[in-house]
């Protein structure tokens, strides 16, 4: 799988787009808001930052929906309000929205005029002192000039790997994770180890690249999917991909795809434990870890119910739509675009079955860092 | 006409796209290359710039084809080679590609991986020390933080206005430029005056905004369509829009559009004289004008002929395709998408007729500036 090419959310603003199906991710951002705000206030109370005439903020993994700009709006508002309270001139803001080059940046860019209008209405003084640019590239590599960034934000992106781990196939070419598309209870240890090693490599590269770009005292707030236990196979975060695997098996039984196609497909993501995250931050060594907290969020978070009851089929449709928005380009490049509708029809059924039995949740880590 | 929304080149990479029909603009860039190179060498010989660890370059009006990145590539190569010759460490490059939010940035962004690969092959040391971002917005306003830019490039963009001039309609609501879509020999003076006033306002705003962004000693190389004479109605640069007007009248005769629609349509662009450009630069006062030269370029410049002869119908098709790539979104929003094919079929005929009689040329100005 060419991750750089196929790892992107569904573009545009249509029914299947990420822009129309990212309420779950908005709920995550809302939960992290108090921590974001605290970190920002901490940053602006630093004398070095108060002297800065331009504050440079980057959102890594911005994707194409409205979530990224809503975070930026909150950061800019918080800083400007604080400066006004202290009778100080607010800085100008250089905002850099990052994602892989396959991301639909046009949709974000087209929403900028209304973003600027909203900023202007909120505060007449900074309507045009905030400058938003799109910065395409992999955050596992350098993205920005040296010592140019004051604040890094990233939400629900760092669990994605730069590639499907090597070593998921035996020397003879047999898939080692047969019947699964991610780590599952039947996954051999060599496979979950390969996943961890890839995450370790990628997260280390992420931190190393940022360490060159973020100025001394700069802050980061990073939220990612992570697991609560140390054992990678006991992971509630495997469950969303397990539902996809079950739906893939359903359409394989219908003869729409081959079983072997499932064996050779592996999602390029990993949900690390808190200890794993902490170890890599310590090992890389450029950032002080000031906070590492876990939180849970229900699969149907932020679902708008209107006046009707929340039956499980409707909840399953909601879940399936956002899973489709984030995974369709990957799945479609491997299994073909023609089977996607059938796959996600089955997926809704599989998710509904699960919801009849339990209340699944995503576990996440939120991390705050200071550049030493 | 909502210029911010409809002034953009045809997107994508298809047959009608600007990306596939911008050889004429590439020819313009090639003609300006020696001046660009001289200005860049002048810039890097400046001690203040040699001390800069990050050089910030902006291309204003980048549109969606390959031309913008080819200019950037040339600038980065020139600076890096010069530094190497002088046994100096080249700077890192922050590149900002600007156009209106309606521009198809996705197509430029998708070409970045191969742009970086090419840079890397050319010089192993700066493969990942050049960081290209897309910066959407109108260059008639602020685009970048204060004192952040070292070098500005803009090619064939500054002739576009921020809006259709006010005052092209009488107090009673009658169009004053009846039967024309731009300044023509039958255009009343009040109309050409309104065009000039709009250009003056816009170019002044452009210079004023840049004066806040470009650091002292920073340079600009600006190329724009301009006329050779002082009389705005004696303008060879009216001719391309005249051909569109003739084609519009043809399809009005066929009953596809109303004559009144032509009367109320006016292109939002202006080809200034050298004196007009110079006056506005002096009036604004933040930049020293170091060069102001005119040059001509044939309408069929850079047309690849293959093995066949250059008959006028083929030349007319070439011309019509690039005129369509730059004007279709504007024309289509006013006259409707359904008549575009018919319009440009007629346009090819009208251009071919003209080519049978003369060798039309675009006249352009190239300007170099230094921030005082």
């Amino acid at each position: 799988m060419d991750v750089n090419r196929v790892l992107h959310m569904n573009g545009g603003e249509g029914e299947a787009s990420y822009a129309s199906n990212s309420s779950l991710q908005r709920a995550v951002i809302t939960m992290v808001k108090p921590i974001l705000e605290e970190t920002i206030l901490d940053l602006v109370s630093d004398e070095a930052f108060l002297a800065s005439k331009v504050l440079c903020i980057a959102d890594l993994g911005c994707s194409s929906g409205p979530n990224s700009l809503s975070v930026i709006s909150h950061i800019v508002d918080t800083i400007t309000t604080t400066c006004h309270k202290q009778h100080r001139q607010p800085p100008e803001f250089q905002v850099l929205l990052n994602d892989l080059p396959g991301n639909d940046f046009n949709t974000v860019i087209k929403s900028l005029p209304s973003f600027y209008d909203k900023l202007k209405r909120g505060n007449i003084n900074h309507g045009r002192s905030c400058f938003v640019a799109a910065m395409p590239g992999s955050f596992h590599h350098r993205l920005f000039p040296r010592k140019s960034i004051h604040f890094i934000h990233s939400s629900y992106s760092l669990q994605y790997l730069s590639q499907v781990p090597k070593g998921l196939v035996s020397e003879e070419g047999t898939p080692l994770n047969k019947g699964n598309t991610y780590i599952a209870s039947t996954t051999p240890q060599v496979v979950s180890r390969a996943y961890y090693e890839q995450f370790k490599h990628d997260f280390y590269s992420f931190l190393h690249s940022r360490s060159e770009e973020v100025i001394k005292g700069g802050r980061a707030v990073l939220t990612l999917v992570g697991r609560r236990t140390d054992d990678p196979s006991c992971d509630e975060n495997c469950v969303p991909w397990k539902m996809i695997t079950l739906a893939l098996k359903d359409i394989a039984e219908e003869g729409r795809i081959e079983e072997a196609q499932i064996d050779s497909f592996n999602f390029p993501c990993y949900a690390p434990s808190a200890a794993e995250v902490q170890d890599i931050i310590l090992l890389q060594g450029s950032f002080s870890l000031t906070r590492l907290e876990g939180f849970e969020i229900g699969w149907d978070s932020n679902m708008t119910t209107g006046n009707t009851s929340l039956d499980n089929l409707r909840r399953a449709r909601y879940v399936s739509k956002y899973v489709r928005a984030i995974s369709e380009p990957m799945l479609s490049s491997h299994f073909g675009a023609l089977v996607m509708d059938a796959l996600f029809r089955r997926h809704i059924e599989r998710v509904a079955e699960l919801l009849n039995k339990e209340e699944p949740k995503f576990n996440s880590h939120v991390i705050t860092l200071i550049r030493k």
Side-chain angles (χ1 to χ4, degrees), chain A:
Chain A
M1 187 192 296
D2 178 359
V3 170
N4 278 331
R5 195 176 53 80
V6 301
L7 177 58
H8 58 83
M9 310 295 105
N10 271 345
E13 296 179 289
E15 214 203 327
S17 68
Y18 179 78
S20 304
N21 296 285
S22 47
S23 304
L24 187 275
Q25 290 85 348
R26 192 172 71 237
V28 171
I29 286 169
T30 306
M31 289 192 77
V32 175
K33 221 170 189 177
I35 295 175
L36 175 69
E37 215 164 285
E38 197 184 307
T39 312
I40 286 291
L41 289 176
D42 194 38
L43 177 79
V44 291
S45 69
D46 190 312
E47 276 301 320
F49 288 96
L50 285 166
S52 300
K53 294 209 166 119
V54 180
L55 211 76
C56 201
I57 300 165
D59 187 34
L60 308 188
C62 64
S63 82
S64 64
N67 290 342
S68 183
L69 284 177
S70 91
V71 172
I72 296 303
S73 175
H74 187 62
I75 295 172
V76 170
D77 276 347
T78 304
I79 296 176
T80 310
T81 308
T82 308
C83 287
H84 283 168
K85 271 187 200 157
Q86 299 171 351
H87 307 289
R88 289 168 184 269
Q89 177 73 18
E92 292 191 335
F93 297 92
Q94 171 75 76
V95 176
L96 296 151
L97 305 184
N98 157 262
D99 213 308
L100 287 169
N103 182 52
D104 177 15
F105 283 101
N106 280 355
T107 299
V108 190
I109 286 170
K110 288 203 174 79
S111 70
L112 280 174
S114 66
F115 167 79
Y116 288 130
D117 281 349
K118 211 180 127 212
L119 272 193
K120 216 181 273 175
R121 281 198 302 277
N123 188 317
I124 203 147
N125 289 327
H126 68 260
R128 253 342 237 150
S129 59
C130 175
F131 307 99
V132 182
M135 176 51 97
S138 161
F139 57 46
H140 296 118
H141 299 286
R142 287 284 305 283
L143 290 168
F144 314 111
R146 262 172 232 286
K147 296 181 184 167
S148 64
I149 306 289
H150 296 83
F151 184 72
I152 296 275
H153 177 264
S154 180
S155 186
Y156 263 37
S157 301
L158 276 162
Q159 68 271 16
Y160 291 106
L161 304 173
S162 66
Q163 57 177 36
V164 174
K166 304 252 186 260
L168 303 194
V169 178
S170 75
E171 279 181 16
E172 294 79 38
T174 319
L176 296 175
N177 201 19
K178 229 165 147 11
N180 298 313
T181 61
Y182 179 59
I183 299 165
S185 54
T186 57
T187 292
Q189 214 186 342
V190 61
V191 168
S192 49
R193 188 79 204 163
Y195 263 103
Y196 168 66
E197 290 298 338
Q198 186 64 49
F199 176 78
K200 186 176 169 185
H201 175 271
D202 286 343
F203 189 46
Y204 187 98
S205 302
F206 172 89
L207 293 168
H208 180 72
S209 298
R210 300 301 80 73
S211 76
E212 298 194 4
E213 297 160 354
V214 176
I215 65 164
K216 191 172 179 303
R219 263 71 162 181
V221 175
L222 314 175
T223 311
L224 72 165
V225 177
R227 59 182 204 277
R228 284 185 298 180
T229 64
D230 283 335
D231 177 1
S233 67
C234 292
D235 178 11
E236 352 31 1
N237 295 306
C238 303
V239 181
W241 301 139
K242 193 175 154 195
M243 294 299 106
I244 288 283
T245 312
L246 291 175
L248 284 168
K249 285 178 179 170
D250 290 338
I251 63 163
E253 264 179 36
E254 294 166 12
R256 294 178 192 265
I257 58 168
E258 302 291 322
E259 282 277 353
Q261 285 178 278
I262 304 176
D263 299 339
S264 62
F265 181 83
N266 295 286
F267 279 106
C269 39
Y270 181 73
S273 70
E276 286 170 349
V277 167
Q278 183 163 358
D279 286 353
I280 302 165
I281 294 168
L282 287 175
L283 179 72
Q284 198 282 324
S286 303
F287 292 90
S288 305
L289 177 61
T290 44
R291 189 194 288 255
L292 172 50
E293 285 176 20
F295 66 92
E296 284 181 341
I297 192 161
W299 280 20
D300 61 358
S301 256
N302 250 6
M303 182 177 171
T304 47
T305 58
N307 291 323
T308 55
S309 67
L310 268 180
D311 66 273
N312 286 341
L313 192 60
R314 289 190 62 243
R315 291 165 73 213
R317 278 201 204 99
Y318 172 75
V319 171
S320 187
K321 280 181 92 170
Y322 70 68
V323 170
R324 183 171 185 162
I326 66 176
S327 62
E328 185 165 6
M330 285 186 273
L331 289 163
S332 167
S333 84
H334 187 84
F335 296 101
L338 290 176
V339 300
M340 289 299 109
D341 283 344
L343 172 66
F344 283 99
R345 271 196 304 272
R346 288 300 191 173
H347 184 248
I348 292 170
E349 293 165 17
R350 290 299 192 169
V351 174
E353 277 169 30
L354 182 77
L355 294 172
N356 286 334
K357 287 183 289 186
E358 54 183 284
E359 284 295 328
K361 290 182 169 63
F362 291 102
N363 190 58
S364 308
H365 306 305
V366 55
I367 304 160
T368 63
L369 304 172
I370 303 184
R371 177 73 174 98
K372 287 180 190 165

